[in-house]
C-alpha cells in the first residue's frame, strides 16, 4: 500500500466512525466538554435535541441515515390496483 493509499484508508475509517450525540439543550456544553476531554472532538459532534429523553444521550450515525433516505427517495413509487 502506498503512503497516499494508506492515508485515504485511514481517512475513510475516521469518516466512518463519526457519530452525532443528541442531548437535552441545557446539557450541550457539559457533553461537549466531556467529548473534548476524551479527545473525541473530531469524531463526535454534540447537538441539542428537544426530543431527547430526559437524562439520556442518543448516538446517531447521520451519514447512514442520509444514505438510507437517499436510497428510499430513489426507489420508484408503485401504486397497487
Amino acid at each position: 500500500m502506498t503512503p497516499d493509499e494508506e492515508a485515504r484508508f485511514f481517512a475513510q475509517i475516521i469518516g466512518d466512525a463519526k457519530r452525532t450525540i443528541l442531548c437535552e439543550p441545557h446539557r450541550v456544553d457539559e457533553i461537549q466538554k466531556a467529548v473534548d476531554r476524551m479527545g473525541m472532538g473530531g469524531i463526535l459532534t454534540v447537538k441539542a435535541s428537544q426530543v431527547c429523553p430526559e437524562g439520556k444521550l442518543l448516538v446517531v450515525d447521520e451519514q447512514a441515515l442520509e444514505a438510507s433516505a437517499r436510497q428510499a427517495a430513489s426507489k420508484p413509487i408503485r401504486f397497487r390496483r
Side-chain angles (χ1 to χ4, degrees), residues 48-70:
S49 172
Q50 297 292 336
V51 298
C52 187
E54 186 177 336
K56 302 287 183 182
L57 300 177
L58 302 175
V59 179
V60 179
D61 184 342
E62 287 188 292
Q63 293 174 355
L65 289 174
E66 289 170 5
S68 179
R70 280 192 305 273

Side-chain angles (χ1 to χ4, degrees), residues 12-75:
Q12 180 69 43
I13 289 173
I14 291 168
D16 290 347
K18 290 189 176 192
R19 296 293 183 268
T20 299
I21 298 175
L22 302 177
C23 65
E24 299 163 272
H26 69 276
R27 295 188 67 200
V28 171
D29 291 337
E30 168 195 357
I31 303 304
Q32 185 64 58
K33 286 177 186 175
V35 166
D36 292 341
R37 275 195 309 273
M38 293 186 304
M40 302 288 288
I43 296 176
L44 299 173
T45 302
V46 180
K47 293 183 179 179
S49 172
Q50 297 292 336
V51 298
C52 187
E54 186 177 336
K56 302 287 183 182
L57 300 177
L58 302 175
V59 179
V60 179
D61 184 342
E62 287 188 292
Q63 293 174 355
L65 289 174
E66 289 170 5
S68 179
R70 280 192 305 273
Q71 184 179 17
S74 69
K75 291 182 180 179

